[in-house]
Amino acid sequence: MKRFVFLISISLFSFGFFVATPLVDLDGVTEDVDYLVDLYKSLHQSPELSLQEKETSKKLANELRKVGFEVTENFGGYGIVGILKNGEGPTILYRTDMDALPMYEKTELPYASKVEVPYNGGIVGTMHSCGHDIHMTNWVGTARYMSQNKDQWKGTLMFIGQPAEEIGEGAKLMLEAGLYEKFGVPDYGLGLHSSPTLPAGTVGLSDGYTMATAEFADIKVFGIGAHGASPHMSIDPVVVASMIVMDLQTIASRSVKPVDDVVVTVGAIKGGTKHNIIPDEVTLQLTIRTFTEEVRQLVHKRIEEISRGVAIAAGLPEDKMPEVIFNTAFTPSNFNNTELIQSMRKSAKKVIDDDKVMEAEPQMVAEDFSLYGLTEHKVPTVLFWLGTVPDHRIQSGDLPGLHSPFYYPEPEKSLETGVAVVSQTMLDLFKQ
Ligand SMILES: [Zn+2]
Ligand SMILES: [Zn+2]
């Protein structure tokens, strides 16, 4: 009996010895928050648009160099790659995006952006209304924490600062510049996005699909023009286009399985010049959101069939059938790797309360982060939501969305939570 107990205690000891992973020192994270909030405010006050992230990327490169990373700049536009090697072990990619949006900030915060830039022949404000400034600061905070605690992990950190997320080009630029060929293929890829609905202090994790495939399509509808007073002399493309818009609504309601997700939105109708002229062409501009390739292909097929069918019904001849043009550059859906998201959920619960680790619903917005997991190497990736909303806004229910001029995160708590959760996830992954 004694011997049996002895054996159990030995095996428990050795089991504990092998799986014990260091816990993130939360006091250490908190101590660094003032530094990070200052950095956050300076990034927030100097937003740069997609493909123009020159000063932002320089700032980030300096931050990484300060804590011992080897940094390559101007990699795929203004992309940066920071490498910190620390012995034998896996490589973890952690990505931040860096770009802001062309819009005036209306938050009235003391550190609100006042930057104006030339845009489309005019002048426009710039604002980090998608929270990429919080992403960058979290990323720097995690780099600082991991580099200050190098005795607790072995492996390689690959921190990438990605340009041009808002226009869906940055990830592609960095991958095509040879990210994996030059710096190695990571074993895991992590990214986060600010949530405009989850409270600061929480994270939102979801299994499987988390963001949608996003693509654009144009439908050119042709007709036969005439005087507005003589519709019988025309085949009116305004009416044909209108019928197409209505029939497109049946794709979600009648063609796609009720349990599958899809959005078909006509965001713009362009045609005609004057009240009393029936034009001979109208263009519809669509955005299409799906998760799976099967649904995506079905939606394409139905858009073609509906456009052609309505045109035939209107009496248009074969040479005036609508032209459907699908934009080939689309952003694929984000799929969270099952094991990685499970491991992250456990890690998150080590550093924040269980009820602050929320289950997030999939959303039909898109993110080009998905591309890092879709190369031939099939790197397992996770993109999670970081709660950013200040308590007073949660209480009042006033929740401006991302890209709203009124959106702002609560930096202290968002940064503390983000740095702790990502650092713990990394420590646990390095121990596996
Ligand atoms: Zn955005
Ligand atoms: Zn964004």
Side-chain angles (χ1 to χ4, degrees):
M1 188 65 190
K2 256 186 188 164
R3 196 185 133 127
F4 180 63
V5 171
F6 177 67
L7 275 178
I8 287 189
S9 57
I10 287 276
S11 60
L12 278 178
F13 174 76
S14 42
F15 180 69
F17 179 77
F18 281 119
V19 295
T21 54
L23 280 180
V24 162
D25 165 25
L26 294 175
D27 291 339
V29 174
T30 308
E31 272 164 30
D32 207 28
V33 161
D34 286 350
Y35 179 89
L36 295 178
V37 170
D38 284 348
L39 173 66
Y40 166 74
K41 288 180 181 168
S42 90
L43 290 166
H44 187 80
Q45 283 174 310
S46 47
E48 291 175 300
L49 296 181
S50 308
L51 300 175
Q52 298 172 25
E53 309 89 342
K54 192 174 173 190
E55 299 307 320
T56 306
S57 63
K58 254 193 217 160
K59 218 179 259 184
L60 295 192
N62 286 339
E63 290 295 332
L64 288 194
R65 281 198 187 104
K66 264 196 240 171
V67 292
F69 280 71
E70 202 172 291
V71 184
T72 306
E73 291 179 74
N74 302 320
F75 190 81
Y78 288 114
I80 55 176
V81 184
I83 300 286
L84 186 65
K85 284 201 167 110
N86 186 30
E88 279 298 307
T91 297
I92 302 178
L93 173 149
Y94 181 29
R95 171 269 214 172
T96 182
D97 34 19
M98 305 188 289
D99 51 338
L101 286 150
M103 58 194 288
Y104 284 99
E105 175 161 357
K106 294 182 183 165
T107 61
E108 294 180 2
L109 290 167
Y111 53 89
S113 160
K114 295 188 173 59
V115 177
E116 290 185 316
V117 291
Y119 186 75
N120 277 352
I123 293 284
V124 75
T126 37
M127 177 185 177
H128 269 300
S129 54
C130 204
H132 296 187
D133 45 359
I134 273 288
H135 306 177
M136 290 187 272
T137 320
N138 260 294
W139 182 88
V140 169
T142 307
R144 289 166 65 82
Y145 185 86
M146 294 302 284
S147 108
Q148 280 152 14
N149 292 279
K150 270 166 85 176
D151 55 329
Q152 300 189 351
W153 57 276
K154 279 202 182 328
T156 301
L157 291 173
M158 182 193 280
F159 272 47
I160 63 171
Q162 180 201 303
E165 187 282 324
E166 291 293 352
I167 55 170
E169 285 182 19
K172 200 161 158 248
L173 277 172
M174 293 195 79
L175 287 164
E176 282 177 358
L179 180 66
Y180 293 168
E181 290 75 13
K182 271 212 167 110
F183 300 97
V185 179
D187 297 282
Y188 309 101
L190 303 175
L192 63 79
H193 205 293
S194 300
S195 163
T197 51
L198 293 177
T202 67
V203 292
L205 309 180
S206 53
D207 290 284
Y209 287 109
T210 170
M211 288 193 197
T213 298
E215 60 190 320
F216 297 133
D218 290 283
I219 307 178
K220 279 191 191 166
V221 180
F222 303 105
I224 294 168
H227 194 292
S230 312
H232 60 291
M233 307 285 285
S234 78
I235 297 182
D236 186 347
V238 173
V239 175
V240 175
S242 305
M243 293 171 89
I244 292 176
V245 173
M246 294 312 292
D247 281 0
L248 291 176
Q249 310 309 312
T250 64
I251 296 179
S253 68
R254 304 290 90 178
S255 299
V256 171
K257 250 195 261 171
V259 290
D260 285 337
D261 300 294
V262 61
V263 173
V264 180
T265 290
V266 180
I269 306 180
K270 293 179 179 172
T273 53
K274 204 177 177 300
H275 307 67
N276 59 356
I277 303 171
I278 294 173
D280 55 12
E281 193 177 323
V282 169
T283 302
L284 303 176
Q285 296 186 319
L286 283 66
T287 186
I288 304 159
R289 308 289 167 118
T290 50
F291 284 120
T292 66
E293 187 56 23
E294 192 193 345
V295 174
R296 180 172 169 259
Q297 290 305 333
L298 173 63
V299 172
H300 282 207
K301 181 171 160 280
R302 290 300 294 140
I303 291 174
E304 303 256 18
E305 287 168 352
I306 287 168
S307 305
R308 188 176 163 79
V310 172
I312 291 171
L316 280 161
E318 195 56 38
D319 63 339
K320 288 199 189 301
M321 284 296 117
E323 240 177 74
V324 184
I325 305 144
F326 294 102
N327 195 325
T328 48
F330 65 94
T331 306
S333 52
N334 268 277
F335 185 86
N336 279 346
N337 175 271
T338 309
E339 280 129 52
L340 193 53
I341 193 79
Q342 278 167 3
S343 151
M344 183 164 212
R345 200 170 272 130
K346 278 188 209 148
S347 303
K349 287 180 179 172
K350 291 181 184 175
V351 286
I352 56 175
D353 294 342
D354 284 12
D355 63 348
K356 301 220 156 116
V357 181
M358 327 272 265
E359 295 303 317
E361 285 178 343
Q363 302 209 12
M364 302 311 275
V365 293
E367 246 283 357
D368 67 359
F369 175 77
S370 55
L371 293 175
Y372 298 105
L374 290 175
T375 62
E376 57 183 295
H377 318 93
K378 301 277 173 271
V379 176
T381 58
V382 155
L383 182 67
F384 73 98
W385 293 102
L386 177 69
T388 61
V389 184
D391 284 344
H392 68 90
R393 276 197 155 161
I394 293 284
Q395 277 144 23
S396 68
D398 169 29
L399 300 173
L402 296 173
H403 295 203
S404 155
F406 299 103
Y407 168 74
Y408 61 83
E410 202 274 271
E412 287 85 357
K413 239 200 247 177
S414 309
L415 292 167
E416 254 175 26
T417 308
V419 172
V421 168
V422 178
S423 301
Q424 187 65 53
T425 301
M426 287 181 173
L427 292 179
D428 290 336
L429 289 174
F430 279 130
K431 273 282 170 184
Q432 274 176 14

